[in-house]
Amino acid sequence: MKTDIDIPEVTNLYVAAVREKHEEYGSMDWNAYLINDRDHAVEGVLIVSKGFDGDHQTSTMRHSLDNLPPKSYAKIEFLQEEVLKLNNEFSVSFFAEGKMYHKKYIFRKNTVNEKALRDLPVMKKRGVLLK
């Protein structure tokens, strides 16, 4: 029966970690973003995030976006330095073109760092990108 279910592949939707200066505090912080590099909007976006490593686990965070237009991005959450020592999973579900999509993105522990920065699509910034 599972072979009858069409699960479309997620393309051109990314999760990125971007190091940015906090306007109010002046600190350099890591923030997670969802990037829509698709030609169509994504709707009804649900994002469930958590950090984990062995017996250590963070609280589960839930986020939603009604609509993310094509070639745009949205901030998901602030990433504390302590959490970057864990694996960080972002489970993303959304609707586009009349279909439901789902994909898990995982920043492996200690991979979000200055050495891993690269140019990001759509954002015109540098960050750590998960495809």
Side-chain angles (χ1 to χ4, degrees), residues 7-57:
I7 302 172
E9 179 183 357
V10 175
T11 57
N12 298 326
L13 190 80
Y14 313 111
V15 173
V18 178
R19 186 138 185 152
E20 303 171 300
K21 187 172 185 173
H22 190 284
E23 296 278 332
E24 188 176 341
Y25 301 113
S27 59
M28 292 300 291
D29 298 332
W30 287 100
N31 293 298
Y33 282 88
L34 183 65
I35 302 172
N36 181 8
D37 195 17
R38 301 164 59 95
D39 293 327
H40 302 281
V42 296
E43 299 173 331
V45 182
L46 299 173
I47 305 165
V48 178
S49 64
K50 65 180 178 180
F52 63 93
D53 184 28
D55 292 338
H56 296 90
Q57 188 166 326

Side-chain angles (χ1 to χ4, degrees), residues 113-128:
N113 58 60
E114 296 288 336
K115 294 178 185 176
L117 295 178
R118 60 175 284 193
D119 291 334
L120 299 175
V122 179
M123 290 187 76
K124 308 291 190 255
K125 293 184 179 187
R126 293 181 54 80
V128 181

Side-chain angles (χ1 to χ4, degrees), residues 71-87:
K71 307 297 181 189
S72 67
Y73 58 92
K75 185 175 176 179
I76 301 171
E77 67 185 27
F78 164 69
L79 298 169
Q80 292 179 305
E81 291 287 337
E82 297 80 22
V83 172
L84 298 177
K85 297 173 187 170
L86 306 172
N87 297 306

Side-chain angles (χ1 to χ4, degrees), residues 61-125:
M61 304 289 285
R62 291 170 181 80
H63 312 276
S64 66
L65 298 167
D66 289 335
N67 185 302
L68 187 59
K71 307 297 181 189
S72 67
Y73 58 92
K75 185 175 176 179
I76 301 171
E77 67 185 27
F78 164 69
L79 298 169
Q80 292 179 305
E81 291 287 337
E82 297 80 22
V83 172
L84 298 177
K85 297 173 187 170
L86 306 172
N87 297 306
N88 284 275
E89 177 182 286
F90 293 84
S91 182
V92 180
S93 300
F94 63 95
F95 290 96
E97 302 156 19
K99 296 180 183 177
M100 183 174 184
Y101 292 80
H102 179 79
K103 185 170 182 176
K104 285 186 182 180
Y105 300 85
I106 300 176
F107 288 110
R108 298 286 175 205
K109 61 182 178 178
N110 301 312
T111 59
V112 175
N113 58 60
E114 296 288 336
K115 294 178 185 176
L117 295 178
R118 60 175 284 193
D119 291 334
L120 299 175
V122 179
M123 290 187 76
K124 308 291 190 255
K125 293 184 179 187

